């Protein structure tokens, strides 16, 4: 028995222990982050490819821990999803982003659409539609200035997904499919889902010039979307060449470091201010 115990114990390497401990630490930290006010929302502009105008922003969550510094969403969102904390956090983001968008409108800036990421767990809530509706009421933001970014996994996991999307659409909210092309799902959902926009994943945008197959994929996604009466936005646009390609292929919108990194509400207000006087 002793031998066996020893063998069992050896199965856990120090590296695995470290990973587990780190995850537990992050989870404990995440539980306190909301009440300690450690989250912040940053905003990344979305550009109309034809006019060069900002027509929307995507809200992206940031976590600044007093000791650990800034933790990437790629690291903490999966833990928030696993533990269910994403429900509270996601609601906080949705509320904050809507409130911010209304504040910019009240300041007199040309209205923008605010895109907010919705995780599967969040979308699965049976009262999701009521929650969104309540937040719009509380913040007094008109529904056409809110867009929800959903991933393809939502479509597979959720009961009544189409019905929920239909209700959101009827309220006037925009829906987009994020990371389009990475979800390994059948394309048939495009016929039944009441969505407005496909968001081309940055893994395709990145290689437009390096890989002719990625270029073909991007071109094909744009053409298909337009045939289905959907808009297309490309994410991860970093260079002039990528933008030119997207312009040529009549992609509607673009987002990426070429235009702007995600920035604070104050920094964005400066841009909106300049834009409204020029
Ligand atoms: P995403 O929704 O696909 O967001 C795009 C990510 O690409 C963001 O990373 C953004 O900062 C980054 N990005 C934007 N332009 C460029 C570019 O030109 N080049 C490159 N290399 N990257 C670019 P971020 O902010 O680290 O977020 C990572 C992921 O975390 C997001 O991917 C999203 O899945 C998740 N996330 C972030 N905020 C939230 C949130 O409030 N709720 C939920 N559920 N998920 C969120
Ligand atoms: Ca997104
Ligand atoms: Ca994305
Ligand atoms: Ca992504």
């Amino acid at each position: 028995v002793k031998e066996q115990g020893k063998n069992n114990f050896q199965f856990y390497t120090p590296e695995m222990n470290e990973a587990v401990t780190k995850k537990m630490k992050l989870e404990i930290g995440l539980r306190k982050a909301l009440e300690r006010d450690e989250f912040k929302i940053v905003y990344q502009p979305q550009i109309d490819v034809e006019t060069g105008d900002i027509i929307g922003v995507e809200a992206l969550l940031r976590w600044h821990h007093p000791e650990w510094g800034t933790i990437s969403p790629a690291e903490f969102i999966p833990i928030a999803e696993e533990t269910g904390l994403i429900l509270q956090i996601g609601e906080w983001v949705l509320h904050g982003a809507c409130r911010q968008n209304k504040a910019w409108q009240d300041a007199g800036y040309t209205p923008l659409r605010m895109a907010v990421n919705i995780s599967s767990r969040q979308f699965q809530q049976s009262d999701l539609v009521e929650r969104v509706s309540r937040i719009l009421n509380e913040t007094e933001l008109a529904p056409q200035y809110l867009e929800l970014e959903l991933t393809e996994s939502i479509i597979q996991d959720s009961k009544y997904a189409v019905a929920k999307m239909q209700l959101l659409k009827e309220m006037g909210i925009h829906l987009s499919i994020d990371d389009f092309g990475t979800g390994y799902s059948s394309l048939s959902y495009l016929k039944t889902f009441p969505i407005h926009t496909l968001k081309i994943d940055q893994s395709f945008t990145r290689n437009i010039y390096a890989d002719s197959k990625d270029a073909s994929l991007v071109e094909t996604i744009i053409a298909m979307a337009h045939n289905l009466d959907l808009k297309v936005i490309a994410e991860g646009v970093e260079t002039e060449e990528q933008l030119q390609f997207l312009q040529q292929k009549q992609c509607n919108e673009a987002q990426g470091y070429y235009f702007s990194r995600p920035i604070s509400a104050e920094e964005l207000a400066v841009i909106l201010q300049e834009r409204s006087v020029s």
Side-chain angles (χ1 to χ4, degrees):
V1 179
K2 213 174 176 186
E3 283 283 286
Q4 231 176 21
K6 205 172 157 194
N7 280 339
N8 275 341
F9 190 70
Q10 279 175 350
F11 177 71
Y12 298 97
T13 64
E15 292 78 38
M16 286 172 76
N17 254 326
E18 227 171 86
V20 170
T21 311
K22 187 175 178 201
K23 207 179 134 191
M24 280 172 59
K25 267 178 74 180
L26 283 177
E27 184 183 332
I28 294 165
L30 262 184
R31 287 191 189 280
K32 299 181 184 150
L34 263 184
E35 54 185 86
R36 292 188 181 171
D37 206 19
E38 293 169 0
F39 289 122
K40 215 184 110 175
I41 306 173
V42 288
Y43 303 90
Q44 188 176 36
Q46 301 180 321
I47 310 296
D48 182 320
V49 165
E50 218 177 316
T51 64
D53 226 12
I54 300 180
I55 43 173
V57 291
E58 178 178 2
L60 292 158
L61 187 58
R62 293 292 176 263
W63 180 18
H64 301 285
H65 188 277
E67 286 159 47
W68 310 333
T70 304
I71 300 137
S72 158
E75 203 166 347
F76 72 81
I77 293 282
I79 298 175
E81 274 170 356
E82 247 176 73
T83 54
L85 289 166
I86 193 69
L87 296 183
Q88 269 173 289
I89 297 172
E91 185 126 335
W92 182 87
V93 173
L94 192 57
H95 197 281
C98 288
R99 192 181 46 205
Q100 182 60 67
N101 203 18
K102 178 68 162 84
W104 284 325
Q105 290 180 10
D106 288 347
Y109 306 135
T110 311
L112 300 173
R113 204 181 47 220
M114 174 67 68
V116 180
N117 292 286
I118 301 293
S119 82
S120 298
R121 272 297 267 271
Q122 231 181 324
F123 192 80
Q124 279 168 24
Q125 293 175 103
S126 56
D127 58 350
L128 172 87
V129 177
E130 289 84 350
R131 284 173 184 275
V132 174
S133 169
R134 185 173 358 104
I135 288 172
L136 287 173
N137 279 329
E138 281 167 7
T139 59
E140 295 175 18
L141 181 71
Q144 70 264 33
Y145 299 117
L146 176 63
E147 176 169 292
L148 303 181
E149 295 196 359
L150 314 173
T151 57
E152 290 174 58
S153 64
I154 283 175
I155 295 150
Q156 291 154 346
D157 306 341
S158 296
K159 264 192 192 172
Y160 315 117
V162 181
K164 272 185 202 169
M165 293 168 91
Q166 195 61 47
L167 286 172
L168 293 165
K169 185 184 181 175
E170 280 161 19
M171 279 165 63
I173 294 167
H174 275 239
L175 300 174
S176 63
I177 300 293
D178 203 359
D179 304 336
F180 182 74
T182 62
Y184 304 108
S185 65
S186 136
L187 289 177
S188 58
Y189 73 83
L190 290 175
K191 290 188 298 188
T192 43
F193 278 58
I195 51 173
H196 300 84
T197 306
L198 294 185
K199 200 161 182 188
I200 300 179
D201 191 67
Q202 54 190 35
S203 60
F204 301 119
T205 315
R206 191 177 303 134
N207 297 322
I208 281 175
Y209 267 81
D211 185 339
S212 64
K213 286 185 178 150
D214 278 325
S216 305
L217 273 175
V218 169
E219 185 175 358
T220 307
I221 292 172
I222 296 170
M224 177 190 70
H226 288 163
N227 281 327
L228 293 167
D229 270 332
L230 301 172
K231 284 197 167 185
V232 197
I233 177 165
E235 67 177 13
V237 177
E238 293 183 356
T239 67
E240 171 81 43
E241 288 76 24
Q242 290 167 337
L243 175 61
Q244 277 169 3
F245 179 92
L246 295 165
Q247 270 166 339
Q248 239 172 51
K249 305 302 175 195
Q250 272 150 18
C251 185
N252 305 94
E253 297 168 23
Q255 177 182 348
Y257 296 167
Y258 177 71
F259 305 102
S260 170
R261 290 186 172 256
I263 53 180
S264 69
E266 296 74 29
E267 289 170 303
L268 194 83
V270 173
I271 296 176
L272 298 180
Q273 179 67 44
E274 281 168 2
R275 172 171 162 259
S276 57
V277 289
S278 65

